[in-house]
Amino acid sequence: MDLDTLLSDLNDAQRRAVCLEGGRALVLAGAGSGKTRVLTRRAAYLIRFTGLSPFALLAVTFTNKAAGEMRGRISELLGIATSGMWVGTFHGIAHRLLRQHAEQAGLPEGFQILDADDQLRLVKRVLRARGTDENRLPPRQVRGFIAARKEEGVRPEAVVTEGHRYQQELLEIYRDYEESCRRGGLVDFAELLLRADELLAGDEGLLAHYRRRFQHILVDELQDTNAMQYRWLTRLIGEGTGLFAVGDDDQSIYGWRGARVENMDRLCRELAPVEIVRLEQNYRSTATILQAANHLIAHNDKRLGKNLWTSGDQGEPITLYRAFNEVDEARWVIDRINDWIEEEGYQAGDFAILYRSNAQSRAFEEALIAHRLPYRVYGGVRFFERAEVKDALAYLRLVMTRHDDASFERAVVTPPRGVGAKTLDAIRTAARAQNTSLWSAAQQLVAHKQLAARARNAVHAFLELIDDLEQRVAGEPLQHQAEHAISSTGLRHHYERDESRLENLDELVSAARSFAHEGSRAGGAEAHETEPLLDFLTHAALEAGEGQAADWGASVQLMSLHAAKGLEFPVVFLTGLEEGLFPHYLSADDPVRLEEERRLCYVGMTRARTRLCLTCAEVRRIHGRDQEARPSRFLGELPLETLDEVRPSIRIRLR
Ligand code: ATP
Ligand code: MG
């Protein structure tokens, strides 16, 4: 490939960026201006036209998906295999370093990675071993504490506690946790980066080796790097290392997870001279969408300031639909998708449904299933597969069938109630020996006093809890049954500090209520013959397994706004634009967090290429109750002339 071909579909500013002579550059530019495209071209340019070896380049992107795409693009542009190249996420690259130098890093050869779930389980084991009450020190909080320390690069020895007892205790747990990881050869996500950084910091020879090796470092989405990522990255940059970073301060949306948008400024200061390149032409969205997004983000105070324009079509106005409630919202969205597939030749894969909170996906999932539209939920677990939802369902299943062993296993330990691994093992062994269910085995062990007193009491209490739950829910409406399964079992309390899990539990109550209504509306003798609870559980089980299209490209894409970063879609539905939901109520009163919410809205709008639809509901079921909702302030911050409000004709309320 010659240079002209490589640069042919780039504008002047983009070309200059790709061909920069200088060693260090920061491309600071708005959404859809071609940052990621330029970054990829830059990689190809360096390899093809400056003689850089493909293995002397390190490229860091935010998601595995983006990394895969970049590798594919480079290989396509240059016609070379890119499998051995260092292109990946921060975690992925740190992991690779640690694998290659496990011994120096103090890790066993076959060290294992702990995902967030495994990590929580390990924290619980540590707490149990110390005899710490999980209600007093919730494992999630402990996990958060540990992750935050690691992201600051602080090991237990270096934690400053000011002698506070509570802090002292957390610190000891952190130490125990590290010890468990060490014994088991386990590494959590935050540890990957910290350990890789320590590895380089502690070995001058190795650092020099990698500084020589990585002659050029490229970074996408710089605005969302946290302190540890920044530290690690800059450590690798030696005197002669080239750097090409791209980012957009207006799209910094991970402040709540420790990302520091100041890293952009800091990088320019600490690695000076850094040439700043601005790209101002947007190639993604219609003029209307861009105008609205620019207008919205202008409401933020602390901005580096950018001027984004497009030579593209004016395009359609942005559609705004005010739904009666979330069911109507989902119906309207799915109707549009169906219409546009039929009338305008769109494919299912052209549509993205974006939301602020993962719990919102359920109404859409149900409508999509009802219309037999293939869909995919990105970066999140489908509603009925979410751990906390499965926990609640496990109780209901036990109420229906005591011999459901999987539900028994799940419910007996969530929330923790003193039934330990040893007791559970004894129950399993007895069940196996007598060829009965765990439930029956547990009953017998209790009746024949074959367990130590404490374990026996705990198991006995659990058996009673389920019997008691059955009494409570008998004859109750479905949504009350669900509520009992969440409240009287201690689940709600257990997840008390985790806002998103609580939202999902409440959403389950809402789902039960809607299901009950639809069941009775569907009428007929059939609907009343079986237990509504059984119907509901069947519905949940089927939904958990079905509807997942094999081919992502051919399905409607559902994802949170956070997961949509960097992506683009022909048609975007940005849903749930209501005060309290978006901006989220926890952020509404804090000016800094409110600005982050606004950036999130900006990110969502700028994902759209040709059509953008915004929706809000007048009433939304939150915490299992219908709540009047005011339209989001962000709607009021859009220029009126870009909006086309569709008013629903008078219809019968859906419930
Ligand atoms: P974001 O901020 O959302 O990450 P970005 O700045 O990384 O956006 P890209 O995703 O690289 O932008 O580009 C946006 C879209 O515009 C892509 O579809 C890309 O292929 C297209 N594009 C970029 N530059 C040009 C150009 N010069 N001519 C035509 N299309 C372009
Ligand atoms: Mg990008």
Side-chain angles (χ1 to χ4, degrees):
M1 163 179 296
D2 59 24
L3 188 58
D4 283 348
T5 322
L6 184 76
L7 303 177
S8 63
D9 51 359
L10 298 179
N11 66 32
D12 286 347
Q14 292 175 329
R15 273 180 209 174
R16 265 199 307 282
V18 168
C19 304
L20 274 179
E21 294 269 339
R24 292 173 188 166
L26 169 64
V27 177
L28 175 66
S33 58
K35 292 183 299 299
T36 303
R37 178 186 269 217
V38 163
L39 188 85
T40 310
R41 279 320 148 82
R42 173 78 172 164
Y45 171 83
L46 289 169
I47 294 168
R48 185 79 173 73
F49 298 100
T50 71
L52 187 77
S53 154
F55 306 106
L57 175 146
L58 172 68
V60 194
T61 63
F62 215 74
T63 62
N64 285 316
K65 188 166 181 289
E69 275 171 18
M70 175 165 307
R71 240 180 269 121
R73 292 289 295 148
I74 295 175
S75 131
E76 198 181 302
L77 285 166
L78 298 177
I80 55 168
T82 50
S83 51
M85 280 178 57
W86 288 73
V87 179
T89 60
F90 277 104
H91 290 127
I93 287 168
H95 172 240
R96 193 162 159 190
L97 267 176
L98 292 177
R99 283 273 173 232
Q100 298 199 348
H101 306 281
E103 207 190 318
Q104 282 130 286
L107 291 170
E109 197 74 2
F111 69 88
Q112 296 293 313
I113 312 259
L114 284 177
D115 69 17
D117 238 36
D118 303 333
Q119 200 190 352
L120 193 62
R121 239 168 284 148
L122 182 58
V123 168
K124 287 180 181 175
R125 272 212 298 278
V126 169
L127 292 177
R128 225 174 293 136
R130 296 175 49 91
T132 307
D133 180 4
E134 293 192 7
N135 290 320
R136 197 168 53 76
L137 262 187
R140 276 167 204 286
Q141 203 177 313
V142 174
R143 180 179 64 180
F145 172 84
I146 294 173
R149 293 298 82 70
K150 290 190 179 189
E151 262 152 32
E152 293 161 358
V154 178
R155 292 289 185 193
E157 306 74 77
V159 173
V160 184
T161 63
E162 297 155 4
H164 226 273
R165 245 197 73 212
Y166 175 73
Q167 290 175 328
Q168 189 59 34
E169 192 175 1
L170 275 172
L171 173 62
E172 282 166 22
I173 293 168
Y174 181 13
R175 207 173 278 143
D176 288 359
Y177 171 87
E178 285 223 311
E179 181 53 25
S180 292
C181 285
R182 198 193 53 74
R183 244 181 296 130
L186 301 168
V187 173
D188 64 41
F189 281 172
E191 179 76 23
L192 284 171
L193 272 167
L194 175 53
R195 187 67 74 121
D197 187 58
E198 288 173 347
L199 171 71
L200 295 171
D203 186 335
E204 258 177 51
L206 195 69
L207 180 60
H209 165 80
Y210 277 105
R211 282 184 172 174
R212 262 196 316 277
R213 156 146 211 177
F214 297 131
Q215 292 164 31
H216 221 102
I217 297 181
L218 291 84
V219 194
D220 200 355
E221 313 263 14
L222 181 68
Q223 78 277 358
D224 279 326
T225 49
N226 67 26
M228 195 65 227
Q229 292 165 334
Y230 181 86
R231 185 202 292 200
W232 183 84
L233 194 72
T234 45
R235 194 181 299 288
L236 276 172
I237 295 176
E239 213 162 292
T241 313
L243 172 71
F244 192 83
V246 312
D248 177 6
D249 59 311
D250 287 334
Q251 294 186 71
S252 149
I253 54 176
Y254 280 97
W256 57 284
R257 233 172 50 180
R260 313 251 174 101
V261 67
E262 311 88 84
N263 283 344
M264 303 185 66
D265 273 343
R266 199 170 150 202
L267 186 107
C268 293
R269 267 198 327 273
E270 295 181 354
L271 298 177
V274 175
E275 183 162 348
I276 305 230
V277 180
R278 292 177 188 269
L279 307 175
E280 304 199 315
Q281 185 169 359
N282 172 293
Y283 288 94
R284 180 180 292 143
S285 311
T286 64
T288 303
I289 293 169
L290 195 62
Q291 183 195 346
N294 282 342
H295 204 274
L296 173 87
I297 200 65
H299 287 80
N300 271 6
D301 253 354
K302 289 174 208 67
R303 300 178 62 215
L304 299 176
K306 275 176 299 269
N307 175 23
L308 205 56
W309 61 277
T310 175
S311 64
D313 287 349
Q314 198 59 42
E316 305 283 329
I318 296 166
T319 310
L320 170 62
Y321 180 70
R322 262 211 230 197
F324 296 118
N325 55 27
E326 74 279 0
V327 178
D328 184 43
E329 179 186 48
R331 178 203 59 80
W332 184 83
V333 168
I334 308 312
D335 281 354
R336 294 291 75 65
I337 293 178
N338 268 322
D339 286 355
W340 290 341
I341 288 177
E342 270 172 31
E343 292 160 18
E344 300 189 17
Y346 283 104
Q347 318 259 310
D350 293 334
F351 301 95
I353 303 175
L354 308 182
Y355 34 78
R356 175 68 182 87
S357 134
N358 279 313
Q360 286 169 258
S361 77
R362 191 190 59 83
F364 295 109
E365 290 186 55
E366 295 201 338
L368 285 158
I369 290 169
H371 283 83
R372 297 178 196 284
L373 278 166
Y375 72 95
R376 182 94 204 194
V377 182
Y378 267 91
V381 181
R382 291 155 57 89
F383 182 73
F384 283 114
E385 289 172 7
R386 291 179 187 152
E388 60 281 12
V389 172
K390 279 166 76 178
D391 292 340
L393 291 174
Y395 282 99
L396 292 174
R397 286 188 207 283
L398 275 183
V399 164
M400 289 301 302
T401 334
R402 298 289 198 283
H403 304 302
D404 181 341
D405 282 354
S407 297
F408 184 97
E409 291 249 21
R410 193 170 188 107
V412 78
V413 295
T414 336
R417 47 172 60 86
V419 179
K422 242 173 73 195
T423 311
L424 198 52
D425 261 350
I427 298 174
R428 287 194 197 109
T429 312
R432 260 198 310 273
Q434 299 158 24
N435 202 14
T436 61
S437 64
L438 294 172
W439 177 270
S440 305
Q443 273 184 323
Q444 290 184 25
L445 288 177
V446 169
H448 300 137
K449 307 219 155 109
Q450 282 161 321
L451 293 168
R454 244 175 77 190
R456 193 172 66 233
N457 288 340
V459 174
H460 185 61
F462 175 69
L463 299 175
E464 277 194 328
L465 175 75
I466 302 297
D467 287 339
D468 182 53
L469 184 62
E470 181 175 25
Q471 303 267 313
R472 279 177 197 247
V473 304
E476 290 280 311
L478 206 48
Q479 69 268 27
H480 292 180
Q481 298 186 330
E483 183 55 52
H484 279 305
I486 294 167
S487 298
S488 48
T489 57
L491 273 182
R492 183 179 294 286
H493 184 66
H494 179 57
Y495 287 122
E496 185 171 56
R497 284 166 202 264
D498 191 327
E499 196 56 38
S500 81
R501 289 188 192 260
L502 280 185
E503 278 171 9
N504 285 332
L505 287 175
D506 289 330
E507 187 62 24
L508 180 67
V509 177
S510 303
R513 186 192 309 240
S514 313
F515 184 83
H517 272 259
E518 273 157 35
S520 56
R521 259 216 322 250
E526 241 177 299
H528 295 287
E529 261 170 38
T530 49
E531 265 265 25
L533 178 57
L534 184 59
D535 283 347
F536 181 62
L537 291 173
T538 312
H539 166 77
L542 289 178
E543 281 226 328
E546 287 295 307
Q548 203 72 304
D551 176 8
W552 285 46
S555 18
V556 177
Q557 331 255 325
L558 274 68
M559 68 190 83
S560 70
L561 285 152
H562 283 100
K565 197 166 82 141
L567 305 178
E568 62 186 25
F569 310 91
V571 183
V572 168
F573 295 94
L574 187 51
T575 65
L577 277 155
E578 295 134 39
E579 280 298 301
L581 188 57
F582 192 26
H584 198 271
Y585 70 95
L586 291 176
S587 304
D589 296 329
D590 176 339
V592 174
R593 292 171 75 165
L594 182 63
E595 293 212 341
E596 182 151 309
E597 293 282 310
R598 194 176 281 112
R599 290 194 292 271
L600 196 55
C601 188
Y602 174 79
V603 167
M605 293 175 70
T606 53
R607 297 310 95 198
R609 282 165 54 182
T610 46
R611 274 183 190 273
L612 174 63
C613 302
L614 310 175
T615 62
C616 59
E618 286 171 8
V619 174
R620 185 172 294 271
R621 187 154 288 166
I622 292 178
H623 305 302
R625 225 173 293 124
D626 281 343
Q627 297 194 355
E628 302 273 333
R630 270 182 302 127
S632 167
R633 71 190 73 187
F634 299 150
L635 289 173
E637 294 173 0
L638 300 175
L640 269 180
E641 66 273 20
T642 59
L643 294 179
D644 177 20
E645 182 165 359
V646 224
R647 297 201 175 274
S649 47
I650 303 298
R651 292 155 21 95
I652 301 159
R653 287 286 293 253
L654 288 178
R655 46 171 201 245

